[in-house]
Every structure is written in structure tokens, then in C-alpha cells.
Amino acid sequence: MASCPIPALKPMMGPEAPELYPTEWGGGAALKRQKEGVVRDGTGECGLNWLFVDLNSYFASVEQEVRPDLRGRPVAVVPMMADTTVCIAASYEAKAFGVRTGTIVSDAKRMCPDLVLVEARHELYVDYHHRIVEAVESCLPVTAVLSIDEMACRLMGRERPLLAALELGQRVKAAIRERVGPMLRSSVGLATNRYLAKVASDMEKPDGLVALPLDILPEALGQLTLRDLPGIGARTEKRLNEKGIRTMEDLLTLDCEKAGELWGSVWGERLWHWLRGEDFDMADTEHLKSLSHQHVLAPEMRTPEKAWAVAHKLLHKAAMRLRAGGLWASGIGLAIGFAGPGGERGPVSTFGVPKKGWKSELKLSECQDNPTLIAALTRLWASKPAGPEFDHPYFIGVHLDGLVPDRLHSLNLFDGTEDEQSRTRLLAVMDQLNNRYGMSTLAPATMLTAYKSAPTRIAFHSIPDLF
């Protein structure tokens, strides 16, 4: 595949650009070009197309907003009050002591003796999420909600020039503070595509505002690490290192075809184009490829019977999300973590779960109905290991994979039968009632224990649902 050159830049007309780029990007050179006006002004095809909003330490900030006594204090939000679980969010006061998302609570207490633990409140964070979306939309429409603390807005017309986009970013940040609360700080990123706008939002935290116009893009990206790029985690970084890609310079010097080969998928080629500022619509392919729900079990829930009830509840939530999104699953997976004998502490995962665990998956004909999914989950549950060391489940995770949207769903022999159509109508009515009155309005009796003892919790980077 031929490489795609970065379009030539033309001098910017009008007032000089403000000094809003970190000096560590190369300092004087970038700012000098900026002051000289070597930035496209947005009247051509290379204006800034996206504004990305990232709420800083979102869960902890909401708690500090609601509870003034927590302001200025180190706060960690936890799924439950137990030393063996993990922090799912930390305030910036706690981060100063090294407490991060994923830090084991007992370790966090040692690192920060004055740490205040707050149990997560799903409904509160979703309520604030919707208020934040309304605040942003008082400035410009929200194009995509990407998680409970992230959203993206497409810039149009006069919003695209650099100075106009920066002013709009300031307005968005101010609207969140004024309409939702002063503790809700956000970082805003501006760029020619949504991916780079996300990168820009991560460059300056908390309360940042960073733009990545084309003229400083190579220099700015060159100062980052591979892990600074969304989609490159520890495992991907290790795989890239093994193939000789250790720095951003190594990555940026690849040609488009080599990038595709490196990832072994179209994502590598997309990344190559994104890192050069190109913007393109992925509406036809942009849908969830998988969805999952996990739960760290409270001590009183760590029996096989109660864990099964929780697994059933997690599947019910996932199935509702599946149908709400017009998606069909072609795979299901179950993961279980087990507590060590006698409470013995060993290596733990990022969820605070002992490393002794088990997982399995099944392939399915494309489906979205509860009976088929429950039958598959039952098969997975029956295949889990047996023995005394597996009698104390600590963590349950259920995931649906190989998702396809309605428009790509392959009909099977039974889709048109009267029984199948009746089942589809019944599920639609159940989902409608559960969405309106709460998830437990109509649900299998096997989940009653889970509803009483396993309250709904929200994952830090999931799309907010009140299921």
C-alpha cells in the first residue's frame, strides 16, 4: 500500500496563535513556527475536526463534589470495603502518594495512611455523567459518548480554526464547572481526528487543554512513549518491542503496509493514518466487538451457589445491552478467580483477584436471546474445575464476543419460526419493563440472591447503563 504524505501547510492568516503547547515538545521550535503563523487556519481541509473531553479522576471527583468534606483530601473509590479489593479511582491528592486505579487497597493504605475510602455509587456517577453531557451540549453537540468519563464532539465550519477550537475548549471546560460543579475538572484535546484528540486530552492532566494541529504533530508525537497511545497496553507494547519497535520514532517511521503487518489486522493501518492526522468515517465498522461485566464478590458471596447467581445476573445485564445495541453474539466466555486456601495472599491481578483462576469460552450461532445464552453459560459453569481449592470463588466475569450488528446478522433456519418470533417479542417487552422500572422487575428466579447481595457497580471505562 502506498504511503499517504502529510498535506503541505500554508501560512496562517490573522492573529498569532496562543502559547498553548507544552515546551517539552521541542520547546522553542514549535512555538516559533506557531508564532510565525505556520498553522493552517481551518479554512481548508486540514482544520481541527474533533474535540475530546476526558473527565479527570471522575469517580473521586464526583465524590468530592457531593461531599465537601472530602475536598483537598486523598480519596480512593473502591467496589467494596475490603483490603483485598482494588481502588477503581483515586483523587489527585491520592495519586500524589502513588495510589492509582488498580492499586490493592491494603497497599494504598500503606502508601497513604490518611487515605479516605469511599464505596462506589453507580447511580450517582451515571447521574453526573448525564449532567456533564448536557453541559457539553450547551456549547456544541456530543457526537459520541465513549465511556462514562469520555466523549467526543465533531467540529464544524467556524469551529475548526485553531483559535476558535481552543476558545470552544475553554467554554466546554467552564460549562462543566459552572453547570455541574467546580470539582469536575476535565482535560480537552483538539486534533484533526478523534484518535489524536484523545491522545491530546491525555497530554496535560488535570484540567488541561491541548491542540495537535498538523504543523506540530510529528514533533509532539515524537515526545510520547508507545504506552501513551490508546490501544497500546502492556501486552501490545511487549509484542511491539519483540519486533523491534521500542520508541515512537520506530513506530512513526514504519510504512502503512508494515504497520498493518505488525498488528496483523486493519487496526495497524488505521493507526498509521491516524498518526498522520487523517480523518475518516468508520460508521460502517464501528460497533462493539465484545462486551463484558465483572464482579468482585463480597466475602459473604464467596460460595459456588451465590457466585452462580452473580454470573447469571452479569449475563442478564450483558444480554440486555446486547439487544439494546442491536447486536448479536457469536461467542461467550466465563472467568472465575478463586481465593487462596485459608485466606492466603499471593500474586493478584488488576482486579485484586488471586492469580489462581480459570476461564473458558464457547462458540455460538449468532444469538441475543436469554435462553440460548443461559444454556451456554450453564455448560461453561459445569466445566469449571472441582476440588477444595476451587470452593471459594472470588471474582466472576462474563463476556460476549464476536458481536455483529443487525445489518450484518446472518439469519439461521429458526429465525423465522413462530416460536422464535414470540420469544423475540417477549424479550423486547421484558427489556422495556426492566429499563423503565429496574433490572430486577422481570428476571430469572436464580438471580434473586445476586440482587440482594451483589449491587450494581460500574466499570471505570464502560458506557454508562442503569441496567
Side-chain angles (χ1 to χ4, degrees):
M1 183 180 295
S3 62
C4 302
I6 299 175
L9 298 171
K10 66 180 181 181
M12 181 173 110
M13 306 300 293
E16 63 184 20
E19 294 189 11
L20 286 173
Y21 306 109
T23 55
E24 58 266 26
W25 290 359
L31 293 175
K32 183 174 184 294
R33 289 201 306 276
Q34 186 184 345
K35 286 188 172 185
E36 290 172 350
V38 190
V39 177
R40 187 165 292 196
D41 64 359
T43 58
E45 70 277 17
C46 289
L48 298 169
N49 298 328
W50 288 93
L51 182 151
F52 195 100
V53 183
D54 184 354
L55 276 297
N56 304 145
S57 294
Y58 178 61
F59 291 177
S61 295
V62 171
E63 294 292 348
Q64 289 178 320
E65 178 62 34
V66 173
R67 294 179 52 185
D69 61 299
L70 296 179
R71 297 178 187 180
R73 301 174 64 187
V75 175
V77 179
V78 296
M80 68 181 71
M81 291 298 182
D83 283 357
T84 52
T85 189
V86 298
C87 303
I88 59 175
S91 68
Y92 275 90
E93 294 84 358
K95 288 179 178 178
F97 289 87
V99 179
R100 298 285 187 271
T101 299
T103 303
I104 305 298
V105 169
S106 57
D107 294 337
K109 287 180 175 179
R110 286 194 294 271
M111 295 160 68
C112 181
D114 295 328
L115 185 68
V116 181
L117 299 179
V118 178
E119 190 166 355
R121 295 185 279 177
H122 171 95
E123 291 80 5
L124 176 65
Y125 308 144
V126 173
D127 175 59
Y128 266 77
H129 162 83
H130 292 305
R131 292 167 64 179
I132 291 166
V133 171
E134 289 179 4
V136 174
E137 290 198 323
S138 70
C139 303
L140 78 168
V142 172
T143 305
V145 173
L146 304 171
S147 71
I148 196 167
D149 64 338
E150 295 179 328
M151 62 203 73
C153 309
R154 181 178 283 281
L155 302 179
M156 307 291 289
R158 295 182 179 180
E159 299 167 342
R160 296 178 65 214
L162 177 62
L163 294 181
L166 289 168
E167 182 181 351
L168 190 55
Q170 293 282 18
R171 284 170 49 198
V172 166
K173 291 162 61 67
I176 294 172
R177 291 193 300 269
E178 294 166 6
R179 290 171 173 256
V180 186
M183 299 307 298
L184 276 301
R185 293 177 293 181
S186 60
S187 291
V188 170
L190 299 156
T192 53
N193 61 53
R194 197 168 83 181
Y195 184 87
L196 287 177
K198 161 65 176 170
V199 172
S201 72
D202 288 332
M203 284 182 162
E204 188 177 297
K205 288 186 175 183
D207 206 26
L209 174 60
V210 174
L212 289 178
L214 286 180
D215 94 305
I216 67 165
L217 189 56
E219 192 169 5
L221 293 180
Q223 302 300 313
L224 302 180
T225 67
L226 294 175
R227 290 288 294 276
D228 290 327
L229 296 181
I232 299 184
R235 285 182 294 181
T236 301
E237 182 185 37
K238 181 180 178 181
R239 191 173 73 248
L240 291 175
N241 290 167
E242 291 170 350
K243 296 182 179 182
I245 307 300
R246 300 183 176 277
T247 66
M248 280 296 297
E249 183 180 0
D250 295 334
L251 184 62
L252 292 171
T253 54
L254 293 174
D255 61 34
C256 188
E257 184 176 354
K258 185 65 176 176
E261 293 174 358
L262 197 62
W263 263 267
S265 71
V266 70
W267 198 88
E269 294 184 11
R270 286 177 181 167
L271 179 62
W272 187 92
H273 288 281
W274 286 331
L275 293 178
R276 282 149 184 81
E278 298 177 34
D279 192 22
F280 46 88
D281 188 5
M282 296 196 307
D284 290 340
T285 59
E286 200 169 73
H287 64 269
L288 281 176
K289 304 303 187 295
S290 66
L291 60 86
S292 64
H293 287 285
Q294 302 91 25
H295 194 93
V296 178
L297 302 173
E300 67 273 13
M301 295 292 290
R302 294 172 190 171
T303 67
E305 295 76 17
K306 293 179 179 179
W308 166 244
V310 172
H312 210 150
K313 176 188 175 183
L314 297 179
L315 180 64
H316 186 54
K317 291 172 63 178
M320 287 181 64
R321 284 184 61 194
L322 193 71
R323 294 188 291 270
L327 298 168
W328 298 73
S330 58
I332 182 173
L334 173 66
I336 307 175
F338 298 94
E344 176 184 320
R345 181 172 179 179
V348 295
S349 74
T350 54
F351 291 100
V353 180
K355 287 291 187 181
K356 179 170 37 176
W358 170 88
K359 62 182 178 180
S360 186
E361 298 177 342
L362 282 176
K363 292 293 185 183
L364 305 169
S365 296
E366 292 174 10
C367 66
Q368 58 178 199
D369 62 289
N370 282 23
T372 301
L373 294 170
I374 290 171
L377 184 69
T378 303
R379 286 179 58 193
L380 288 172
W381 187 265
S383 68
K384 65 181 176 57
E389 67 270 33
F390 301 107
D391 284 344
H392 302 286
Y394 188 104
F395 164 87
I396 298 292
V398 173
H399 60 91
L400 302 177
D401 299 313
L403 307 188
V404 296
D406 283 332
R407 67 181 183 276
L408 300 178
H409 168 55
S410 300
L411 296 175
N412 65 45
L413 182 63
F414 302 103
D415 280 346
T417 64
E418 185 175 342
D419 286 347
E420 185 63 28
Q421 291 177 357
S422 297
R423 180 187 294 180
T424 300
R425 289 194 295 270
L426 175 61
L427 288 170
V429 172
M430 287 180 62
D431 289 348
Q432 185 178 9
L433 290 171
N434 286 333
N435 285 330
R436 182 169 183 178
Y437 298 110
M439 192 180 117
S440 59
T441 304
L442 286 175
T446 51
M447 297 194 309
L448 291 178
T449 300
Y451 282 124
K452 293 177 181 178
S453 304
T456 297
R457 299 191 179 110
I458 187 165
F460 190 73
H461 289 297
S462 67
I463 302 296
D465 288 309
L466 279 173
F467 297 158

